[in-house]
Amino acid sequence: MSHTEKTPADPPTTMGIPPDAQQVSEVFVQLVDVVARLRSPSGCPWDRQQTLESIKPYTLEETYELLEAIDSGDDELIIEELGDVLLQVVLDAQIAADERRFDLIPVIERITEKLIRRHPHVFSDAHAETPEDVRRHWDHVKGKEKQRPSALSGIPPALPALAHTKKLSSKAAKVGFDWPRREMLFDKLREEIGELADELFPGGVVPDVPASVAGQVETDEPIGDAAQQSRIENELGDLLFVVANIARRWKIDPEQALRKSNAKFTARFRYIEDQLTKVGRDIRDATLDEMEALYQQGKAKENH
């Protein structure tokens, strides 16, 4: 191999090169103009009716659709969903401008200034060799910018619960409130499982019932006592909190991990449906044994 030939580990030479300034200006201005037109008196009644409050569910929906697109690895889909997220930013700013609150200019200026300010190792004379160094710089600058009453402040309450737990425990860990060794979390997990079992079963003894598809699916009896239901919810929440902390200590995103499991289950379940459809059967008419066999068949195909 010659000295000029790159190995697969070499970084791409195109990293960090911005798009053509004139082209990006033209397409961005066109997008801004289109959104403004939609909000104008001669535009779209639906768009004119929106407020920052009413548009929130769509912003959340588009964010999750982008995550799904990224998980799929489909570039065309990612492009489409990134565009939808960008639309939300431009539309929110246009709504605010129409309400005479602010426009898109300070939105862009603020984020640009923030990125420069929080990366002193790039735009100033600070030094950072590792992602941990970068995180320390970021947290230091952010701490000076935002004087918050608690080390736990600044977590968006609308975050999904698992993501909220990760943020919460990460902030606590930054000030030293964490288990000394991550393996200790499994002792805590066993403790929480035991406390949940105490609420679910007499004497806290979990019945020894091996996992199997044999037999009929039983109807689950509801919890009749409101106080007991509240205790069970508390214990189950504590258990999930520990699971999210295990993910954090092993540098795993619990939301991403659960999304992957959901996607796996969806693919395997659809495999069951597809295989039954091929032989002219409806999944509702299949036995549990048949569905389980097809589920395992679909699972096996994933590894080939």
Side-chain angles (χ1 to χ4, degrees):
M1 179 181 291
S2 70
H3 291 297
T4 58
E5 191 173 349
K6 292 184 180 295
T7 67
D10 288 330
T13 57
T14 55
M15 286 182 67
I17 299 176
D20 178 78
Q22 182 176 347
Q23 187 178 11
V24 75
S25 296
E26 289 175 355
V27 296
F28 189 69
V29 167
Q30 183 182 21
L31 171 61
V32 172
D33 286 345
V34 167
V35 172
R37 173 72 183 276
L38 291 171
R39 289 275 301 172
S40 72
S42 61
C44 172
W46 186 90
D47 286 282
R48 284 200 307 270
Q49 188 182 45
Q50 300 312 308
T51 65
L52 291 179
E53 283 295 318
S54 70
I55 209 72
K56 285 196 305 184
Y58 301 98
T59 305
L60 187 61
E61 180 182 330
E62 296 300 349
T63 302
Y64 281 115
E65 288 182 2
L66 172 59
L67 296 180
E68 185 179 354
I70 292 172
D71 288 343
S72 76
D74 184 331
D75 285 351
E76 288 302 314
L77 191 56
I78 295 171
I79 289 170
E80 180 179 343
E81 297 303 338
L82 277 171
D84 289 343
V85 171
L86 179 58
L87 167 61
Q88 294 301 310
V89 176
V90 175
L91 180 56
D92 278 5
Q94 184 61 51
I95 291 170
D98 295 339
E99 295 175 355
R100 302 189 183 283
R101 296 166 65 178
F102 58 86
D103 63 22
L104 189 60
I105 304 303
V107 173
I108 297 173
E109 289 176 340
R110 292 270 185 95
I111 187 57
T112 304
E113 291 165 3
K114 181 192 291 186
L115 287 171
I116 293 171
R117 194 168 58 247
R118 294 191 184 177
H119 290 83
H121 54 289
V122 176
F123 300 102
S124 188
D125 55 1
H127 184 72
E129 289 288 345
T130 67
E132 287 70 29
D133 293 337
V134 174
R135 202 169 291 117
R136 279 193 291 272
H137 284 309
W138 182 280
D139 290 340
H140 176 69
V141 176
K142 186 175 181 179
K144 291 197 297 184
E145 292 172 356
K146 300 182 178 182
Q147 299 299 320
R148 286 172 167 158
S150 167
L152 300 180
S153 297
I155 303 175
L159 274 180
L162 281 176
H164 196 117
T165 298
K166 183 186 176 188
K167 282 274 190 184
L168 203 61
S169 57
S170 293
K171 282 178 173 283
K174 284 178 182 177
V175 297
F177 192 71
D178 205 357
W179 295 102
R181 292 183 57 180
R182 61 186 181 178
E183 293 86 355
M184 294 175 177
L185 283 162
F186 283 89
D187 185 46
K188 191 66 181 171
L189 182 63
R190 285 188 289 270
E191 176 189 326
E192 297 299 347
I193 291 173
E195 291 178 2
L196 178 61
D198 286 339
E199 292 297 338
L200 291 173
F201 305 105
V205 179
V206 181
D208 185 14
V209 182
S212 167
V213 296
Q216 296 294 316
V217 177
E218 296 181 0
T219 300
D220 298 323
E221 293 296 325
I223 301 165
D225 182 81
Q228 183 189 17
Q229 175 149 347
S230 178
R231 293 194 303 271
I232 292 171
E233 285 178 353
N234 287 336
E235 297 302 343
L236 187 58
D238 291 345
L239 192 154
L240 293 172
F241 192 93
V242 173
V243 170
N245 268 286
I246 289 172
R248 173 181 62 86
R249 291 297 292 266
W250 266 268
K251 313 297 185 201
I252 300 296
D253 180 351
E255 284 286 333
Q256 175 70 357
L258 189 54
R259 278 199 303 273
K260 284 185 175 180
S261 289
N262 289 342
K264 280 191 297 187
F265 179 83
T266 300
R268 293 168 188 174
F269 190 85
R270 286 179 175 167
Y271 179 84
I272 299 172
E273 293 177 311
D274 291 344
Q275 295 307 302
L276 289 169
T277 299
K278 286 178 181 177
V279 294
R281 297 183 62 195
D282 188 282
I283 192 168
R284 296 166 187 80
D285 300 324
T287 66
L288 183 55
D289 282 333
E290 289 173 323
M291 288 189 283
E292 174 65 12
L294 288 170
Y295 185 91
Q296 295 300 330
Q297 189 180 101
K299 180 180 177 180
K301 286 181 177 293
E302 293 171 4
N303 302 321
H304 293 87

